[in-house]
Amino acid sequence: MSVHLFIAGDSTAANYPSNQAPMAGWGQMIDRFFTNNVVVINKALCGRSSKSFINEGVLNKIINSIEPNDYLLVQFGHNDEKPDKALYTEPFSTYQECLRKYVNGARKKGATPILITPVSRRIYDNNGNIKQTHGDYPEAVRILGHDLQVPVIDLCSSSTALLESLGPEESKRLFVWLKPGEHVNYPEGSRDNTHFNEVGAKKIAGLIVKELLNFSIPLRNYILNRAC
């Protein structure tokens, strides 16, 4: 029996075409941590916030397709922060209100929602510590998860720890950092501190899967040993 793992999120989770390689989202890599019983349906889209994803009807499409015993991973925040009326949400009001719709929609269909705090950006202070650029959004997810008794994967914390352990130079190998002429898709090079390359996307997906092992949910039974 197949289990469907739906992903709702932004560019850090999205699938990317070959002409944007090596850029990749964690949702593009997460299937390799599961047995063939898990079918990943990645609906994450670049440039979306928790609000715009709903307003564009993408959440409704997921809810119409999701079935009992399926799962919905939800990660937003990068674009909810932007001062754009179509995107912006306030952490402890509209952001949480939007996330409730994902949770309630999945639960009404008998599926299991899992909230994820936004992944950290590769921005360091002078002491080699990651700057917390997401403000109150991660805490808003943690609080909402507690209130609704929804599993929360604290990707903000785990990715911060990962990037700080690597340091400013070594961490570049996880992101789309390229010298001019190094890759055909980025002839002028790239210094992207938000979006991952394939190595980084797989690493972030691994962080998520490791936290899934902490939850008493059937999905953990389909996780391969290499994710441990």
Side-chain angles (χ1 to χ4, degrees):
M1 182 183 73
S2 294
V3 174
H4 299 100
L5 179 64
F6 288 83
I7 299 172
D10 53 37
S11 60
T12 60
N15 293 336
Y16 287 86
S18 58
N19 64 359
Q20 289 183 264
M23 189 177 290
W26 60 257
Q28 193 171 338
M29 298 292 174
I30 201 168
D31 62 340
R32 61 196 61 197
F33 293 99
F34 294 97
T35 68
N36 292 333
N37 300 87
V38 176
V39 178
V40 175
I41 303 174
N42 189 6
K43 294 295 185 179
L45 294 170
C46 297
R48 271 58 170 196
S49 70
S50 63
K51 180 170 70 173
S52 66
F53 196 88
I54 293 171
N55 290 341
E56 292 178 21
V58 189
L59 175 59
N60 278 341
K61 291 180 181 179
I62 291 175
I63 300 306
N64 288 337
S65 300
I66 205 166
E67 297 177 351
N69 303 316
D70 286 345
Y71 295 84
L72 174 60
L73 300 183
V74 183
Q75 184 218 248
F76 290 99
H78 281 77
N79 299 304
D80 289 74
E81 306 163 0
K82 296 180 179 180
D84 181 325
K85 290 183 179 179
L87 299 174
Y88 180 75
T89 60
E90 195 281 328
F92 297 113
S93 61
T94 48
Y95 181 57
Q96 289 183 325
E97 290 168 9
C98 286
L99 293 180
R100 281 178 183 269
K101 294 180 180 180
Y102 294 81
V103 171
N104 292 337
R107 282 178 164 172
K108 285 180 180 177
K109 295 294 293 287
T112 299
I114 299 172
L115 299 176
I116 305 176
T117 59
V119 65
S120 294
R121 297 182 175 95
R122 186 195 158 276
I123 301 177
Y124 292 83
D125 63 21
N126 293 332
N127 296 316
N129 298 316
I130 288 293
K131 292 184 178 180
Q132 297 303 317
T133 64
H134 295 304
D136 289 329
Y137 291 90
E139 185 62 14
V141 177
R142 298 180 193 112
I143 291 172
L144 183 65
H146 178 269
D147 291 346
L148 299 181
Q149 296 186 326
V150 177
V152 173
I153 293 174
D154 195 351
L155 186 59
C156 183
S157 294
S158 60
S159 59
T160 292
L162 170 65
L163 296 178
E164 289 183 346
S165 71
L166 293 173
E169 287 303 315
E170 185 67 14
S171 63
K172 290 177 182 178
R173 68 181 180 85
L174 303 185
F175 290 80
V176 187
W177 263 71
L178 298 165
K179 298 176 182 178
E182 185 177 351
H183 197 286
V184 64
N185 288 338
Y186 301 86
E188 297 180 1
S190 174
R191 293 188 174 188
D192 191 327
N193 293 316
T194 298
H195 300 100
F196 306 101
N197 59 26
E198 292 160 356
V199 172
K202 183 179 178 181
K203 193 71 174 179
I204 297 301
L207 294 179
I208 291 170
V209 172
K210 284 180 181 178
E211 290 205 41
L212 286 174
L213 288 168
N214 296 328
F215 306 136
S216 297
I217 53 176
L219 182 63
R220 62 181 292 174
N221 298 325
Y222 302 116
I223 296 173
L224 297 171
N225 288 335
R226 66 170 177 260
C228 302

